[in-house]
Amino acid sequence: MIIRAIITALLLNLSAFAHGVFYELVDGAIGVRVTAPNNIAISDADITIYAPEASLPFTKGKTDVNGNFAFMPDSHGQWRVVINVGSDHGAHIKDFKITIDENQKVKEFEKTPYERYMKILSVLGLLLGLFGIIVLLKNRKKDTTK
């Protein structure tokens, strides 16, 4: 009789765990943040992720209220990300690649043309500004001698 009561108590305790919610933290997630040019987060942007050499999507979803979307790659290689942000005047689509290494970490990713050429544009702007100041000063010296 006591053994039957112990077994019944164990079974009741095990069934209580069946309705719980469990979680664990997993390393290796890749996060993408979608923003407007003024660094304002874009929520509800459609994101489609393609695994290396795949034509069907690996996962699809929408950005959260902070413009974030994360996924867990299951292999290394070059992953394709397509971001589609709808607006009143049509869709804005960004398509870029992320290279994932063997440790499931981001090795490199395609940056926007603005980010890629920012240093070149900065140096060019600095040189043109200096040239403009030199020309301005030379013209002022000529005007004061008359």
Side-chain angles (χ1 to χ4, degrees), residues 53-67:
E53 300 179 18
S55 58
L56 295 175
F58 175 76
T59 188
K60 289 181 174 185
K62 291 188 175 286
T63 56
D64 66 8
V65 71
N66 296 318

Side-chain angles (χ1 to χ4, degrees), residues 34-46:
V34 180
T35 61
N38 50 3
N39 205 25
I40 294 176
I42 298 177
S43 61
D44 294 326
D46 293 318

Side-chain angles (χ1 to χ4, degrees), residues 6 18 113 117 136 146:
I6 291 173
Y117 303 118
L136 180 69
K146 289 183 181 179

